[in-house]
Amino acid sequence: MVSAGAAVVRGFDDASAHQEAADACMFHFERKHVYSVKNNPMCGISFGQWWHLVRTQWRHFDWCYVPRVLFLTVLSLFNSLLGIVESILYPDAVIHRVELPTDPVFIIGHPRTGTTLLHNLLASDAANFYTCTTFCTGFPSCFLWFEAWGKRLFAGTIDPTRPMDSMPLHFDLPQEDECATMLLSRGASYYMPIYLMTREPAFRRFLDFSAADGGTADDEAQWTSAFVYLLKKLTFRHQIQAKGSSLRQRLVLKSPIHAARVPLLRKLFPNARFIYIHRDPVETMASAAHLANTAFWFMYLSTPTDDQVNEYLFWQFDHMWRKYNEAAVDKSVHGGRVVLPDILEVSYAELTTCPERTLRSIYAHANIQWTDQSTRHFAAEVDALQSYQVNRHRTLPTPLRRRIQDMAQEYMDALGYTTAPSPGD
């Protein structure tokens, strides 16, 4: 007979084994930077925008983040004063009269697939492109007049390199426009889970505003109004800086989340071009988890569980791919996957191993002439890429690799990735 005590021990052992198996199927995260106020894209939020978020979300804030909340509150008051000055110097009536370009270039793809690398490369060609900089992203209410002073005043709010990798970080570098749209729209963005991961499902409606995820026409209108306003300000800024120039420069934007919004962006910009960059999904998810375990801790206002962050990572990858692929594929073609002509798909491996050839194909897709000057301009960047070192992540447990591959099987089949055997298989 088995004693009652032995039964308890056996039950404990079974639970432990079950927990170990579950742990091997997920990423794990370590809380850090709780009292840090650096590297936070909300530093440029105005008081009205901030008060709306506090009023609607304060119940979900953790007490340990009170210093961060107080810091953002003080900054929001200062930012509002800066915004008032900007509204006097550049009234909304002036901004609304700015004509949007019809043919921007959108760099899209899942986070950690090389979108930043490609964005930096294209934006470095100032003869052909202009973009949204880190300062414009961080301080969307005042960058037209305060940029020169603000870059010096707020220099201490960001580190010289990004928290998740060794890539440089400063206010003149290109940055994701969605961060600014999130502020201007008062949180109508799927970037909100970066701050309130514990409420991630509540923000899914902002991924592409589809009714299936709870989105409404009002949600889409709120985001679109903020996005268009930002782009008009960026275009106006470019017109001021390029006054007297005969060059025709294209607006190039990068926010991975736009991969789920291709139909909406086509409606807003009929002649837009999309560059979709992709990468092996196991490497992508490992890098995305590293991002969550480094950069996100500078931004959280509530502490998520491992389960919540894993749910976010897997749901985001799966839904972004499905929504992108639905919009990308030419459904009139049968017998194979053919993408529509406004989209060019490139791989991260192509960009890092054959950068000039990849850039030439991107220029051709965007109807931009590649010249000898282009070759000379990118020579230094191309040379640097030859020694480009990606982050080295630990080998993922076999169950976790299989979970990723099962989730991303359609992605892998469509883009030509094979299921590599796991270590020990």
Side-chain angles (χ1 to χ4, degrees):
M1 294 181 61
V2 180
S3 68
V8 171
V9 172
R10 186 183 64 193
F12 176 80
D13 289 342
D14 287 348
S16 298
H18 179 76
Q19 185 61 46
E20 288 177 4
D23 287 347
C25 289
M26 64 191 300
F27 295 103
H28 299 279
F29 307 93
E30 179 184 358
R31 191 170 77 163
K32 55 181 74 72
H33 308 308
V34 173
Y35 302 111
S36 175
V37 294
K38 299 182 72 173
N39 303 320
N40 193 326
M42 271 201 189
C43 282
I45 197 168
S46 71
F47 182 74
Q49 296 157 358
W50 176 239
W51 175 243
H52 173 79
L53 294 179
V54 171
R55 181 172 54 83
T56 56
Q57 305 292 340
W58 68 270
R59 293 177 182 84
H60 308 285
F61 293 178
D62 286 351
W63 282 104
C64 62
Y65 295 113
V66 166
R68 189 170 293 170
V69 170
L70 293 176
F71 177 75
L72 291 174
T73 301
V74 172
L75 269 186
S76 72
L77 292 169
F78 182 59
N79 291 328
S80 290
L81 294 176
L82 300 176
I84 290 172
V85 175
E86 179 142 306
S87 67
I88 295 172
L89 296 174
Y90 305 102
D92 282 352
V94 173
I95 304 302
H96 289 313
R97 284 199 298 268
V98 174
E99 291 188 13
L100 281 177
T102 63
D103 58 352
V105 176
F106 289 97
I107 299 170
I108 58 177
H110 194 80
R112 311 305 296 158
T113 53
T115 55
T116 296
L117 177 61
L118 180 55
H119 193 200
N120 287 354
L121 284 170
L122 295 186
S124 72
D125 182 6
N128 284 303
F129 295 104
Y130 68 99
T131 193
C132 183
T133 67
T134 299
F135 189 84
C136 294
T137 292
F139 298 87
S141 298
C142 63
F143 65 76
L144 287 177
W145 79 276
F146 193 65
E147 183 173 1
W149 292 302
K151 287 189 293 189
R152 292 192 291 269
L153 180 63
F154 294 115
T157 62
I158 57 175
D159 287 323
T161 58
R162 302 197 307 177
M164 60 284 199
D165 53 35
S166 59
M167 292 193 73
L169 178 63
H170 57 75
F171 282 130
D172 289 322
L173 283 174
Q175 193 53 262
E176 297 176 16
D177 52 275
E178 183 69 14
C179 294
T181 306
M182 179 190 67
L183 301 184
L184 294 172
S185 66
R186 301 189 174 193
S189 169
Y190 191 58
Y191 275 21
M192 280 301 297
I194 298 173
Y195 300 90
L196 291 166
M197 187 67 71
T198 55
R199 300 207 66 230
E200 182 268 334
F203 301 113
R204 291 178 179 178
R205 71 184 197 269
F206 297 125
L207 180 62
D208 72 331
F209 317 105
S210 66
D213 296 323
T216 66
D218 287 342
D219 291 334
E220 181 177 316
Q222 184 178 351
W223 179 88
T224 301
S225 176
F227 181 61
V228 168
Y229 181 71
L230 171 67
L231 266 54
K232 287 193 172 191
K233 288 189 69 172
L234 291 173
T235 301
F236 185 63
R237 171 181 178 269
H238 169 66
Q239 291 171 350
I240 294 173
Q241 294 179 339
K243 191 173 183 179
S245 173
S246 60
L247 295 175
R248 182 185 181 275
Q249 292 135 305
R250 299 276 289 280
L251 175 60
V252 58
L253 297 168
K254 185 273 291 191
S255 287
I257 198 173
H258 290 332
R261 299 172 177 156
V262 171
L264 175 57
L265 296 175
R266 281 174 173 153
K267 184 169 63 175
L268 293 173
F269 307 98
N271 300 316
R273 286 292 180 266
F274 300 91
I275 314 299
Y276 181 83
I277 185 166
H278 54 86
R279 184 182 183 188
D280 177 271
V282 173
E283 295 175 0
T284 299
M285 289 292 285
S287 189
H290 178 70
L291 169 68
N293 200 34
T294 50
F296 285 11
W297 291 106
F298 286 100
M299 306 173 222
Y300 283 148
L301 297 173
S302 63
T303 304
T305 64
D306 286 358
D307 284 331
Q308 289 170 327
V309 183
N310 276 270
E311 174 69 12
Y312 162 77
L313 293 173
F314 280 86
W315 189 91
Q316 177 183 243
F317 187 104
D318 181 55
H319 283 70
M320 281 181 61
W321 162 248
R322 293 181 185 278
K323 293 174 188 295
Y324 162 75
N325 194 49
E326 175 68 19
V329 172
D330 187 345
K331 298 177 180 61
S332 68
V333 178
H334 303 284
R337 181 178 179 273
V338 177
V339 298
L340 290 164
D342 60 348
I343 293 176
L344 175 67
E345 295 179 342
V346 300
S347 73
Y348 175 76
E350 290 173 331
L351 179 61
T352 54
T353 59
C354 305
E356 182 175 328
R357 185 177 69 187
T358 304
L359 289 169
R360 283 177 177 269
S361 68
I362 290 170
Y363 272 54
H365 177 69
N367 297 317
I368 297 174
Q369 184 178 6
W370 183 278
T371 65
D372 290 341
Q373 181 181 350
S374 304
T375 302
R376 290 192 297 270
H377 170 77
F378 285 113
E381 282 78 3
V382 168
D383 288 342
L385 282 180
Q386 305 308 316
S387 58
Y388 180 73
Q389 296 293 320
V390 300
N391 284 342
R392 298 291 182 226
H393 305 294
R394 67 179 180 85
T395 301
L396 300 184
T398 296
L400 180 54
R401 292 176 61 90
R402 287 175 176 162
R403 180 186 177 189
I404 294 170
Q405 290 168 343
D406 288 345
M407 178 268 299
Q409 192 61 60
E410 289 185 14
Y411 174 98
M412 297 171 70
D413 292 342
L415 300 173
Y417 293 97
T418 58
T419 304
S422 301
D425 282 4

